[in-house]
Amino acid sequence: MFFSTLGQIVAGRGDPAGRRAALAVMGRMYRRFDLQPYHDTVIAAAVVDTVRRFAGASWVPEQAGQWEKGCRQALRLSERAAGTLGDGPDVTVAEVVGCEAAADGVAVVTVLPVRRLRFLSGQAVPVCTPRLAGRWRWLSPANAPRADGTVEFHVRAVAGGAVSPVLVEQVVPGEMLWLGPPLDVGLSLKCAGDADLLLAAGGTGLAPLRALVEQVAGSPVRRRVTLVVGSRTLLDLYDAVALDKLQQAHGDWLTVVLAFSDDPDVEPVVQGNLLSVAMYHHRPGQAVYVCGPPRLMEAARQWLPLAGVASDELHLAMTFDHALETARWMLSHRASPLTGPQEDGPAGSAASGMAGDAT
């Protein structure tokens, strides 16, 4: 796990969110193994020898220096990540106990970690399949912590993506996934106090917001929650059964609203853009949470403040597409490392999806 992740970082592969996930994993492993700068030489030598062995005829001597330099740079980044993230849940493995097709190109993957995953609703977890060793992607649990320890992830197969099609189409029950440390990505309920909630979910961005609903259900704090779920068409909607069960169980304080942006065959009352429908249900004083594809997040960042949502009431899932966003994430973890159970979670709790779908 360590060397495959290091190799991917040195090779410079992956999008900004994937690289940030890999660094979070490396930072936690760097601290777990108690690595020091003087370990760089032996680690770099091992990586260079491995690459040389498997490169075959494509290997040229000049590559040794390039790989050694890249390893040292990656290890320094890992050292900085270790100092920023501090102590907390270690990297672990989990058995896939369920993998169900939820809609075209969307799978619900349920795993059972060998050690209970300590997370809070709304957090994101770096996830990797050994089929693509070292390629990490953020996924958010779609549930609050459960008594049986299982964790549910929602994954959409993105066209041209490297990891998500494998998770959706190839992973089967019985195999293992690697799980990194759960971390805050802007969706913690701690920032909302006791305020009522307006949750706007696009695509598999529903996962962390559904987990927030479950957290509210298990909390002594009583608040009203409006969950607006956006989808292009009725056929693209997934998790409808779970949403219906939540509405039936908690109808005294939970309202689930559907919004279809491109389906003329549904009732007019549910036709519309996700953010427009969400703002129709907005009330002063609500804490507004948004999670979904990058384009949705960019629109929410630009449009919702203009529509009257106060900056301290707006909580957007991070995508790491902006340098300022990454800096804010790093500062938040430096100021308050996540080391275990938090008071605002359900009893027994500790602690994607990143904003949008895994790639």
Side-chain angles (χ1 to χ4, degrees):
M1 194 183 299
F2 177 88
F3 278 102
S4 64
T5 305
L6 177 63
Q8 293 290 343
I9 294 175
V10 175
R13 294 174 180 165
D15 58 282
R19 291 195 296 271
R20 193 64 60 196
L23 276 176
V25 169
M26 285 295 293
R28 193 52 52 82
M29 287 196 288
Y30 194 98
R31 199 174 185 92
R32 172 69 178 84
F33 297 150
D34 194 25
L35 296 180
Q36 304 296 330
Y38 54 77
H39 290 124
D40 288 8
T41 300
V42 68
I43 293 174
V47 171
V48 171
D49 286 346
T50 302
V51 174
R52 181 190 294 116
R53 181 181 309 164
F54 288 95
S58 65
W59 177 264
V60 294
E62 291 78 11
Q63 290 179 326
Q66 297 171 356
W67 274 92
E68 181 177 353
K69 180 180 179 181
C71 281
R72 293 181 182 277
Q73 291 176 338
L75 289 168
R76 295 287 67 76
L77 288 173
S78 301
E79 182 183 29
R80 289 169 54 189
T84 297
L85 299 177
D87 294 321
D90 287 327
V91 177
T92 188
V93 297
E95 179 184 358
V96 177
V97 296
C99 190
E100 301 177 1
D104 186 23
V106 178
V108 174
V109 180
T110 304
V111 302
L112 178 62
V114 297
R115 292 193 306 269
R116 177 175 289 273
L117 189 68
R118 297 188 290 127
F119 69 97
L120 288 173
S121 299
Q123 289 185 317
V125 179
V127 177
C128 178
T129 168
R131 293 171 180 263
L132 296 171
R135 302 288 293 271
W136 295 84
R137 289 296 181 270
W138 294 104
L139 293 175
S140 284
N143 58 280
R146 295 169 173 169
D148 65 1
T150 58
V151 182
E152 181 181 313
F153 295 114
H154 298 171
V155 191
R156 181 183 299 277
V158 177
V163 179
S164 60
V166 174
L167 292 173
V168 172
E169 300 165 8
Q170 299 181 30
V171 168
V172 296
E175 65 181 273
M176 307 300 287
L177 295 182
W178 300 345
L179 305 181
L183 296 169
D184 274 341
V185 290
L187 298 177
S188 170
L189 281 188
K190 290 188 296 183
C191 301
D194 297 340
D196 291 342
L197 305 178
L198 174 60
L199 313 177
T204 52
L206 170 62
L209 302 189
R210 200 190 85 180
L212 293 184
V213 172
E214 291 190 9
Q215 177 177 335
V216 172
S219 170
V221 177
R222 281 295 144 223
R223 60 176 108 206
R224 297 199 63 81
V225 179
T226 301
L227 172 61
V228 184
V229 180
S231 181
R232 195 176 65 85
T233 68
L234 182 60
L235 292 178
D236 294 321
L237 179 67
Y238 78 98
D239 210 35
V241 173
L243 291 174
D244 186 61
K245 288 181 178 179
L246 283 174
Q247 178 72 84
Q248 294 295 327
H250 309 295
D252 54 330
W253 53 265
L254 172 65
T255 302
V256 176
V257 179
L258 302 180
F260 299 101
S261 62
D262 190 24
D263 194 335
D265 295 327
V266 299
E267 294 296 327
V269 70
V270 295
Q271 294 182 15
N273 172 275
L274 170 63
L275 295 181
S276 298
V277 174
M279 288 308 299
Y280 176 80
H281 292 273
H282 179 248
R283 300 293 180 267
Q286 285 178 321
V288 180
Y289 287 74
V290 184
C291 188
R295 286 194 299 178
L296 170 68
M297 303 311 301
E298 190 64 31
R301 182 179 292 107
Q302 296 179 0
W303 187 68
L304 291 187
L306 299 177
V309 180
S311 59
D312 60 342
E313 296 175 346
L314 181 59
H315 309 279
L316 304 177
M318 293 182 182
T319 62
F320 299 112
D321 288 338
H322 300 270
L324 179 61
E325 189 174 55
T326 295
R328 185 167 66 249
W329 179 77
M330 295 291 283
L331 285 172
S332 70
H333 287 89
R334 182 178 295 117
S336 180
L338 295 168
T339 57
Q342 305 289 321
E343 292 181 356
D344 63 336
S349 78
S352 182
M354 272 307 295
D357 304 309
T359 57

